[in-house]
Amino acid sequence: MTTAQTELSGLPLALFILQEVSKQAINCTVVPANRTPPIEEYPVVTYNIVIPETETTGDWLGEERQYTAVVQLDIHSTRQIEAMTLSQRLYEALHDTGYIRFFKQVNILPQQITNTSNRTVLAAENYDQDFGFDCSFLINGTKKYDTSGLQLEYQQYDIRSVHAVNDIGGKPLDVSKN
């Protein structure tokens, strides 16, 4: 996790959190797709902003504006199976409640994620295998958040038991997991 104090909002904040998810879930850095110089260390995740903002409603005031942003995510490797596997693992991480909490704390939610697919172009020339997917983020509000104060440690909780009360007789029900 970065210790530098930075205030971010909207899509830049979503990309900052995506960097942390990628580091923890697949041990890859995230860089812009149109980077220079070329990639030196593989594997790596590239992002390309496809749609920066699409309003979800015209009914908003001030900092409470809601919109979606679409980002193309590609995992590059010199080996096809590694690119494919890491792409699938990042896809799964963006569906994992432990990582979704990273986004939820700042009112951002990975929303629609396309299936992973082979996006390799000119493999013989570039020796670069590429698998990826598109991800839309629902962004609620434009409030700036101090990134050093974000909780970016993966935590997965298991529900071991549930206790409820029967509405009819008021008797406790134990529906413990066996």
Side-chain angles (χ1 to χ4, degrees), residues 51-57 65-70 137-138:
I51 302 171
E53 294 182 10
T54 300
E55 299 291 340
T56 59
T57 180
R65 185 166 68 95
Q66 183 184 73
Y67 62 94
T68 58
V70 180
F137 293 96
L138 178 63

Side-chain angles (χ1 to χ4, degrees), residues 111-152:
Q111 195 176 32
Q112 294 180 338
I113 305 173
T114 63
N115 291 325
T116 60
S117 62
N118 188 334
R119 298 179 174 191
T120 304
V121 178
L122 302 174
E125 191 171 307
N126 297 331
Y127 302 103
D128 182 294
Q129 300 294 317
D130 181 11
F131 277 76
F133 54 89
D134 293 352
C135 179
S136 70
F137 293 96
L138 178 63
I139 300 171
N140 292 297
T142 56
K143 177 182 173 189
K144 291 188 179 210
Y145 290 87
D146 178 358
T147 57
S148 66
L150 298 179
Q151 169 60 292
L152 300 174

Side-chain angles (χ1 to χ4, degrees), residues 12-178:
L13 181 57
L15 293 172
F16 174 84
I17 294 171
L18 178 66
Q19 172 74 265
E20 291 298 320
V21 171
S22 179
K23 273 195 253 179
Q24 292 182 36
I26 63 173
N27 196 29
C28 291
T29 59
V30 178
V31 298
N34 58 350
R35 75 235 169 259
T36 44
I39 298 171
E40 293 182 14
E41 290 189 33
Y42 287 94
V44 68
V45 178
T46 60
Y47 73 88
N48 186 31
I49 300 168
V50 178
I51 302 171
E53 294 182 10
T54 300
E55 299 291 340
T56 59
T57 180
D59 188 20
W60 54 271
L61 298 171
E63 290 185 349
E64 301 307 315
R65 185 166 68 95
Q66 183 184 73
Y67 62 94
T68 58
V70 180
V71 178
Q72 175 183 332
L73 299 171
D74 295 317
I75 290 73
H76 300 262
S77 176
T78 55
R79 298 181 310 238
Q80 185 179 48
I81 297 299
E82 180 179 47
M84 180 186 69
T85 303
L86 291 175
S87 177
Q88 187 62 34
R89 284 179 42 208
L90 183 59
Y91 171 89
E92 291 167 0
L94 289 171
H95 287 88
D96 185 312
T97 57
Y99 290 117
I100 289 173
R101 283 189 189 95
F102 289 18
F103 294 99
K104 279 187 170 182
Q105 68 185 312
V106 294
N107 297 315
I108 295 174
L109 188 64
Q111 195 176 32
Q112 294 180 338
I113 305 173
T114 63
N115 291 325
T116 60
S117 62
N118 188 334
R119 298 179 174 191
T120 304
V121 178
L122 302 174
E125 191 171 307
N126 297 331
Y127 302 103
D128 182 294
Q129 300 294 317
D130 181 11
F131 277 76
F133 54 89
D134 293 352
C135 179
S136 70
F137 293 96
L138 178 63
I139 300 171
N140 292 297
T142 56
K143 177 182 173 189
K144 291 188 179 210
Y145 290 87
D146 178 358
T147 57
S148 66
L150 298 179
Q151 169 60 292
L152 300 174
E153 293 180 23
Y154 180 84
Q155 296 175 354
Q156 183 64 35
Y157 297 101
D158 290 332
I159 298 173
R160 299 195 190 281
S161 66
V162 176
H163 299 282
V165 175
N166 184 340
D167 282 342
I168 297 171
K171 298 177 185 175
L173 299 173
D174 186 10
V175 288
S176 298
K177 182 178 176 182
N178 292 329

